[in-house]
Amino acid sequence: MKKILFVCLGNICRSPMAEYIFNDIAAKNGIRAHAESAGTSGWHNGEYMHCGTAEILDSMDIDSHTFTSRKIKPADLAAYDYIIVMDDSNLADVEKLFGRQPEKIFKITDLAPSCGYDHVPDPWYTGNFNETRNILTACCEALAGQIRRGEK
């Protein structure tokens, strides 16, 4: 089973949305993979996700009630097959912690270059949770397909 850690800044918007969307896609398609999420800042440790993220997941009939935000930790490098970040700033922060490992640590948008984005805009600032959902769904579907085909 592949283990994936999605990472954003606060672990209340983008990375939890990716976690739950990916797990839903994997479960519906019989893909042996499981995702979790974390943030680089730790600003929201122990909190539930942003209400905008929860509303998006609810609208997709994805149950997210068990979520709790957490900060990335050193043990995560060994615990996960992939650490997938949302933008260049997250990538720099994660690479400071773990070093450069492009086969294991990379941006989610690298998985779906046809989505037209080189990062996932943070809806905390943009307010556009639908845009985030659309990008993450395309990227999570691409990741699930690569895992199913044995490419990841």
Side-chain angles (χ1 to χ4, degrees), residues 6-83:
F6 292 112
V7 177
C8 68
L9 179 62
N11 190 219
I12 59 168
C13 294
R14 296 172 292 173
S15 59
M17 191 182 296
E19 171 188 349
Y20 283 89
I21 289 173
F22 178 82
N23 285 335
D24 185 63
I25 291 168
K28 288 177 178 172
N29 291 283
I31 296 168
R32 291 187 36 79
H34 178 74
E36 295 179 2
S37 63
T40 59
S41 72
W43 293 336
H44 300 282
N45 275 356
E47 294 179 17
Y48 187 62
M49 66 183 66
H50 188 285
C51 61
T53 297
E55 288 170 9
I56 288 290
L57 295 173
D58 287 347
S59 75
M60 298 172 76
D61 292 322
I62 299 173
D63 180 13
S64 62
H65 78 277
T66 60
F67 178 78
T68 303
S69 177
R70 74 169 180 90
K71 184 177 181 179
I72 194 168
K73 57 190 180 214
D76 289 334
L77 183 63
Y80 295 94
D81 297 296
Y82 302 110
I83 298 175

Side-chain angles (χ1 to χ4, degrees), residues 34-152:
H34 178 74
E36 295 179 2
S37 63
T40 59
S41 72
W43 293 336
H44 300 282
N45 275 356
E47 294 179 17
Y48 187 62
M49 66 183 66
H50 188 285
C51 61
T53 297
E55 288 170 9
I56 288 290
L57 295 173
D58 287 347
S59 75
M60 298 172 76
D61 292 322
I62 299 173
D63 180 13
S64 62
H65 78 277
T66 60
F67 178 78
T68 303
S69 177
R70 74 169 180 90
K71 184 177 181 179
I72 194 168
K73 57 190 180 214
D76 289 334
L77 183 63
Y80 295 94
D81 297 296
Y82 302 110
I83 298 175
I84 304 175
V85 303
M86 301 295 134
D87 60 32
D88 289 328
S89 178
N90 304 146
L91 183 61
D93 290 342
V94 171
E95 286 180 341
K96 270 187 213 167
L97 186 60
F98 300 130
R100 189 170 183 280
Q101 299 185 48
E103 71 290 343
K104 184 170 186 158
I105 302 168
F106 51 88
K107 288 191 303 184
I108 194 167
T109 51
D110 293 346
L111 297 164
S114 64
C115 77
Y117 289 84
D118 67 353
H119 71 286
V120 180
D122 190 342
W124 173 268
Y125 300 104
T126 69
N128 194 341
F129 286 84
N130 290 321
E131 174 187 46
T132 302
R133 178 204 56 219
N134 295 342
I135 297 166
L136 291 176
T137 298
C139 293
C140 287
E141 286 173 349
L143 176 60
Q146 289 178 16
I147 291 171
R148 183 177 38 243
R149 292 187 301 274
E151 298 168 10
K152 287 268 181 225

